[in-house]
Amino acid sequence: MEISAEQMTLIKTHLRVDGDTEDALIAAYAAAAVDYVEKFCDGTLVESLTPVSEDTDPPREVLFTSGIWAAMLLLIGHWYANREAAAPSLTETPLGVEALLIRHRRWH
C-alpha cells in the first residue's frame, strides 16, 4: 500500500508538522507503519478485497480500515517523537496499536 498525498497531509497534522523539511523522514515512518501492519496482520493492506474464486486460495489481504489507520498514526507518531534507539519508550508498542490491529490479524 502506498501512502497518498492526502494521507501524508493527515499524518503531518497528527504530528503537528507544518513544513516540508522532514517529509522524507515522515514518509519512511509511514512506509514502516505499513510494513508493521502487514507483518502483524499477515496480509497485504488493500482498499478493497479481491473477489475469491472457488478454484483458488484467497489472497492474503487485509482491508484497510479506520482502525488500522489509527494504529498507523500511533506508530508513526511514536517513531517520530522517539527517534533514538536509546529511548526507553522504544521497547514497547504504543498503547492501543495491538488492540486496534488484533481483530485484523490472520491466525494460522
Side-chain angles (χ1 to χ4, degrees), residues 67-89:
I68 288 176
W69 177 240
M72 288 174 59
L73 288 174
L74 289 171
L75 285 168
I76 294 164
H78 178 72
W79 293 330
Y80 184 81
N82 301 284
R83 300 178 190 197
E84 301 300 324
S89 59

Side-chain angles (χ1 to χ4, degrees), residues 8 12 17-30 80:
M8 185 65 153
K12 289 172 71 171
V17 172
D18 293 326
D20 298 342
T21 58
E22 295 187 303
D23 280 4
L25 175 66
I26 294 167
Y29 291 148
Y80 184 81

Side-chain angles (χ1 to χ4, degrees), residues 2-107:
E2 294 290 323
I3 299 297
S4 70
E6 180 182 327
Q7 289 170 321
M8 185 65 153
T9 300
L10 291 171
I11 291 167
K12 289 172 71 171
T13 299
H14 175 74
L15 299 176
R16 297 185 178 118
V17 172
D18 293 326
D20 298 342
T21 58
E22 295 187 303
D23 280 4
L25 175 66
I26 294 167
Y29 291 148
V34 169
D35 186 57
Y36 183 98
V37 169
E38 289 181 340
K39 298 295 186 270
F40 184 90
C41 295
D42 193 25
T44 303
L45 280 175
V46 296
E47 300 212 14
S48 61
L49 296 172
T50 304
V52 179
S53 66
E54 293 180 23
D55 56 339
T56 61
D57 291 332
R60 299 187 84 74
E61 296 176 332
V62 176
L63 188 61
F64 184 70
T65 65
S66 58
I68 288 176
W69 177 240
M72 288 174 59
L73 288 174
L74 289 171
L75 285 168
I76 294 164
H78 178 72
W79 293 330
Y80 184 81
N82 301 284
R83 300 178 190 197
E84 301 300 324
S89 59
L90 288 179
T91 59
E92 296 182 19
T93 304
L95 183 64
V97 170
E98 286 191 15
L100 289 164
L101 296 179
I102 198 74
R103 63 184 288 255
H104 302 285
R105 191 172 202 172
R106 295 177 55 106
W107 301 94

